[in-house]
Amino acid sequence: MNDTTHGIRVRRGVLADAPAVLDLLDGAVAWMNSRGNTEQWGTTPYSQKPGGVERVERYLTENEPWIAELDGVPVGAMVLDSGPSPQMPIEPAEEAEVYVRLLVSDRRRAGLRIGAVLLAHAADETRRAGLELLRVDCWAGGGGELVAFYERNGFTPTEAFLSGAWPGQVLARRLP
């Protein structure tokens, strides 16, 4: 898939993308922390969190990973699966679905709509699978900015949840 607006190309992710995905996640943690957000993903770089590297490697080998590239450089990553993480207090859907398990973009390239391009690709993959339901969960704190991002991309909030003290929101998008 190519985004003609900004030249973003989406391709299937592979295990060799692990360092790039970890860099994106580390950059996201640093960006959030610079804005005073230490609750969403904490303050420890993702690559240094216990199990962080292994989790990314599992995403790239056991799930459906996608990488957004700009001029051959990874600028975003998304992981799709058939349902929510079993570690989250989220009920599976009552129908087959595609679930966005991870979405991260290079914050230095904010404004290029990398996340929107990846979500459009997730919608395409959902249709290609013959399914109509695309879901995602996200952090609902910080004034709901992340929830609003997903709403701007066609999702509707369905259920709020708590994972410990971490406030979350499940959102769904119905596809024709």
Side-chain angles (χ1 to χ4, degrees):
M1 173 194 168
N2 285 304
D3 176 79
T4 54
T5 308
H6 299 292
I8 296 170
R9 176 180 169 264
V10 178
R11 65 163 174 82
R12 187 80 143 174
V14 296
L15 183 57
D17 291 313
V21 173
L22 286 163
D23 284 346
L24 289 166
L25 290 165
D26 286 351
V29 170
W31 176 79
M32 286 183 239
N33 289 183
S34 74
R35 299 181 68 212
N37 176 353
T38 58
E39 297 172 25
Q40 184 175 349
W41 285 357
T43 57
T44 303
Y46 202 89
S47 62
Q48 296 175 21
K49 289 183 180 189
V53 171
E54 293 81 6
R55 177 176 291 139
V56 167
E57 289 173 349
R58 279 194 312 276
Y59 278 154
L60 293 168
T61 57
E62 297 175 9
N63 300 108
E64 187 178 330
W66 296 94
I67 303 295
E69 292 183 327
L70 182 61
D71 299 325
V73 176
V75 294
M78 175 178 68
V79 175
L80 302 178
D81 202 351
S82 60
S85 169
Q87 285 79 39
M88 297 300 279
I90 301 168
E91 291 296 318
E94 295 181 5
E95 65 187 273
E97 68 179 320
V98 172
Y99 205 95
V100 178
R101 284 273 190 100
L102 173 72
L103 180 68
V104 63
S105 63
D106 186 341
R107 300 311 309 158
R108 295 170 300 177
R109 292 184 168 87
L112 295 183
R113 300 186 41 80
I114 298 163
V117 168
L118 285 165
L119 289 174
H121 188 78
D124 290 344
E125 289 300 313
T126 302
R127 286 185 199 98
R128 216 177 327 276
L131 303 177
E132 297 178 356
L133 181 61
L134 175 62
R135 291 198 311 160
V136 64
D137 64 79
C138 69
W139 185 61
E145 293 174 13
L146 192 52
V147 173
F149 163 78
Y150 285 108
E151 289 177 309
R152 287 191 304 274
N153 283 279
F155 288 81
T156 301
T158 57
E159 61 192 79
F161 66 92
L162 281 176
S163 179
W166 193 87
Q169 177 68 55
V170 178
L171 298 101
R173 181 174 172 196
R174 284 267 166 212
L175 301 164

